[in-house]
Amino acid sequence: MTCMTLTVNLPGGTALPLIGFGTWQLRSTAAYESVRAALDIGYRHVDTATLYQNEADVGRAVKDSGVDRGQIFITTKLRPQDARNARRTLESSLRLLGTDYVDLWLIHWPAGQEELVSTWRELVSAKDAGLIRNAGVSNYSPAQIDLLTEATGQQPAVNQISWSPAQHDPALLDEHRRRGVVVEGYSGLKNTDLLNPVLTEIAQRHGVTPAQVVLRWHLEHDIVILPRSSHRERIAANFDLDGFDLTKEDVASIDTLARTG
Ligand SMILES: NC(=O)c1ccc[n+]([C@@H]2O[C@H](COP(=O)([O-])OP(=O)(O)OC[C@H]3O[C@@H](n4cnc5c(N)ncnc54)[C@H](OP(=O)(O)O)[C@@H]3O)[C@@H](O)[C@H]2O)c1
């Protein structure tokens, strides 16, 4: 497995790199420097959102990195309360990011039930207008995804949801897989006890850190990861996931953390 260059193809044909750089809670200089470091190290996927208030810093980092825009997969997200001004919000995101399209635009979380479909229509229309390459959702249930698909004939390409060993849910993964919706997992490190003996034993045996074990475990389940760090060594380590192999038994014992806490 060459994780660093591994991608999954979205329905429209765009290649989505399995390792993305998360930017929640990174602001101004910290956001700029962390994204610069990530792009320098080799990340080609950056995850931001209107909510994070760092799109301008991300945009500046992308521009100053010298990496071709076309080589970088950029995701941003629409807050549901901005749905009525969706196009204007998107145009602001594009301006701040310094680009004329994003690779993926997500609805950050589901709004009230009666606005689910109208909000989704805004994303479909932005895609038709060529302002976004792919449209998706975040924090949606499979049933909510079905509602959008049935109403518009357009299925979200991605669902970005909270995922970690403690939250591992094979049935939910299956629900996404059956629909062809790519799962992006967030807060996988934050929601994990990195001192858990199951993880430290596996890490020690492979000569890596528990954080690397957790991230690699997501990839073994074909879950896109979005690790965030403001430390260059960690940004590098979180991207360096192909120098070791988890055995089937390792993966299975990490899976059990969902049942044992
Ligand atoms: N769609 C949504 O609703 C949603 C919600 C939450 C997050 N997200 C996205 O997912 C991304 C990731 O989630 P997250 O930021 O919540 O959490 P995360 O990436 O799981 O964890 C970040 C925390 O882990 C630490 N860390 C990073 N690398 C480490 C390592 N190698 N060893 C030990 N600790 C390490 C970081 O500290 P240092 O900075 O000190 O290294 C930071 O405190 C976000 O940045 C955002 O892009 C989306």
Side-chain angles (χ1 to χ4, degrees), residues 90-102:
L90 177 59
E91 282 163 0
S92 161
S93 288
L94 295 177
R95 198 168 46 250
L96 293 168
L97 286 164
T99 182
D100 52 11
Y101 70 94
V102 286

Side-chain angles (χ1 to χ4, degrees), residues 150-168:
E150 281 155 22
T152 63
Q154 300 279 328
Q155 179 170 266
V158 163
N159 191 16
Q160 186 178 113
I161 50 183
S162 188
W163 208 273
S164 64
Q167 297 162 288
H168 187 57

